[in-house]
Amino acid sequence: EGGLAVEAAKPKLKRPKNFAVVLHNDDYTTMEFVIHVLMKFFAKNYGEAHSIMLKIHNDGVGICGIYTFEVAESKSAKVNRYSRGKGHPLKSSIEPCD
């Protein structure tokens, strides 16, 4: 009756941006503790954790995992809190990646 035919538009969904959780090398945290953190918080087996720990040691930083922002932020905060509680200055941060 003179009206317009309207079709509901399908929303265009984007995949959420990903963020890498990164551990930073320092002169005090032991290699064993870094391996422990990688296994405890990032579900790495010993071989994977050892490999990432060596990358951190040699390059200064290493990626532990890639997650959505909220998950990456939470994991990084947990690692920082846990490390301080155990007397280690191990630092974790997040970086955008794609």
Side-chain angles (χ1 to χ4, degrees), residues 26-67:
D26 63 70
D27 293 334
Y28 302 100
T29 304
T30 64
M31 293 179 177
E32 292 81 14
F33 185 75
V34 174
I35 291 171
H36 168 72
V37 165
L38 290 164
M39 293 172 71
K40 179 176 179 72
F41 293 99
F42 300 97
K44 302 297 183 190
N45 64 40
Y46 183 83
E48 293 170 322
H50 188 266
S51 177
I52 294 169
M53 177 276 299
L54 287 176
K55 175 124 177 82
I56 295 165
H57 180 71
N58 293 325
D59 298 346
V61 294
I63 296 174
C64 306
I66 298 175
Y67 308 95

